[in-house]
Amino acid sequence: MDRTRVKAGGTEVRLEGEGEGFRGSLATSTLESGVELVRLRLESDEAARPPVFRLSWSHPLVSVHGFWHSGAGFDRSLRVDWGKGVYSKATSGAPVGCLYDLEGRNRLTFALSDALNPATFHAGVHEESGEVNCWVRLFDEPLGPLGVYEAALRLDTRDLPYHEALSDVSRWWAGLPGYEPAGVPETARLPMYSTWYSFHQDLDPGRVEEQCRLAKELGCEAVIVDDGWQTTSNERGYAYTGDWEPAPEKVPDMRAHVDRVHALGMKFLLWYSVPFVGLHSRAWHRFSGMLLEEIERLGAGVLDPRFPEVREFLIETYESALREWNLDGFKLDFVDSFGTSRETGGGRDYDGVPEAVDRLLEDTIVRLRRIKPDVMVEFRQSYVGPLMRKYGNMFRAMDCPNDAVENRMHTLDIRLLCGDTATHSDMLMWHAEDPVHSAALQLVNVLFSVPQISVLLDRIPPEHVEMLRFWLGFWREHRDVLLDGTLEPLHPEAIYPVVLARTESKLAAAAYGNAVVTLEGEIPSTLLVVNGTPEQGVVLYVAEAAGARGIEVRDCRGRVTGTDNIELEAGLHQIDIPPAGTAVLK
């Protein structure tokens, strides 16, 4: 039997190698009807660097209209089979793809068990056959010598909502040895204030503390003090990173600053750019020979984590800060900037960069938790894949300042794969002269994640403060469904114009476009309808009659604009909700 070509359900999977010295084999098993597992095993008589291998298969283009992956962004279109693949590794993306139809039904979801090592995957239309050709390519980048390599490819062709297929992949990953997600402290699941967009590098402890006081009154429970505390430069570069000592002209006493924030009832997280060491730091002279690369435009180099002294320096830096300043957590930034290198030896104890980064993060978290078991760690998209859930308990959307739609897209993309790891919005900012309903859309678009606020709260108009107080209060009151309910982000091809979340007692429905919001099945006792548009009104289609409900409508500032009783009969209902407002039906 040819063990490099197997049948997984109705799909033939092929294994191809581009080198000698390794033997490959495939085996299949059925996890449940419609879900197949293809197990890959590569062996060599002597430990050696594996050549490039590729798993490939085809799937008929029957009701296949879009392709979702963790880095898709605004492009969810089908690709051509001769196009480039999608790159994934521990600190970038996730090795999963989902082909779906325009009703949001899964047609083929595939995922690889190895989320550590670099892999490239692709699903592209083959014009001649009317099929989509799929492949996963391994070992494009150097990996240390090995004698045996094992991985599994999960193929899911069940006819179910695409988001359920992706959620099942997330649970599958979380159950694999070495992938157990970190616990999530309660504060990581509550709104936070960030200094980045409001201060950038121009930090001042007194001004930050005043923002914390105001943010606490509005419902924020922690502050993330971002870049700028370690340098007097406000030029947005990284030439002064690496020593990680507070700039005395800015922060003369970090512990006192942290203590004052704690006295306000808020937790304190501090920013670090993990891989960067700046040209003007003392650390540069120590580590300039231990770099993966130098980035001239940033004025910094990228540390090589394969050197044990590099890893120990970074870990000791975080340990010292946690102890001496009584921090509550870290924003560990730019972890996705660790690149690749084919150079080995010379004091490096790993050949592959991904393995060394994994070791760095694992040792960091283990040692930080010994000091403070509930330490919070924020990771930023794109390093929010399944392996990163072991170390980070807060996953934040990538930077998208003032872009509410992109923020919605990124937070929902993260939530589709991250299980109960806390998903955070990118920091919310807007102009002080923005109409209040427009400013409110920044928050309304990220309702299904943990909001981070980053405006100067004493420089926005009173109506903006009123809006923030209302929406943060609404979010906290209904966090049980917004954050913990079963999530249904509909129409990924249109960037989620309708989002639903359900518990036994609540259903939240948010409309972000001019789409009719369809409510199927039994409607719980509380129905929350959010108008995430700048226009008046939301149209509901109720599939099954839900009886009489009392309704209260509020605008974006929380002011009641109407109360009534409504009979939720089957069919269409127009609810007159103001822009960025909400209606509660009970």
Side-chain angles (χ1 to χ4, degrees), residues 46-64:
E46 296 182 3
R49 292 180 182 274
V52 173
F53 278 87
R54 194 172 88 153
L55 290 167
S56 59
W57 66 98
S58 298
H59 187 80
L61 279 166
V62 177
S63 295
V64 174

Side-chain angles (χ1 to χ4, degrees), residues 228-305:
W229 62 271
Q230 79 294 344
T231 177
T232 55
S233 169
N234 294 326
E235 298 175 358
R236 300 277 289 273
Y238 300 97
Y240 294 91
T241 58
D243 295 332
W244 301 116
E245 298 171 354
E249 299 90 339
K250 283 186 176 180
V251 190
D253 190 333
M254 179 66 81
R255 176 58 185 260
H257 179 36
V258 174
D259 287 347
R260 290 192 293 270
V261 169
H262 283 164
L264 295 170
M266 294 186 75
K267 302 291 188 181
F268 194 108
L269 291 82
L270 195 59
W271 172 89
Y272 288 81
S273 61
V274 177
F276 294 157
V277 57
L279 287 167
H280 301 313
S281 68
R282 295 191 309 276
W284 175 266
H285 302 288
R286 178 179 175 186
F287 294 113
S288 59
M290 303 180 190
L291 303 177
L292 289 169
E293 62 174 320
E294 295 182 26
I295 307 177
E296 184 177 351
R297 63 183 176 83
L298 298 181
V302 177
L303 291 166
D304 188 341

Side-chain angles (χ1 to χ4, degrees), residues 550-554 560-564 582-586:
I551 180 171
E552 181 180 78
V553 180
R554 293 179 182 267
V560 176
T561 61
T563 58
D564 203 351
T582 185
V584 178
L585 290 78
K586 293 186 177 181

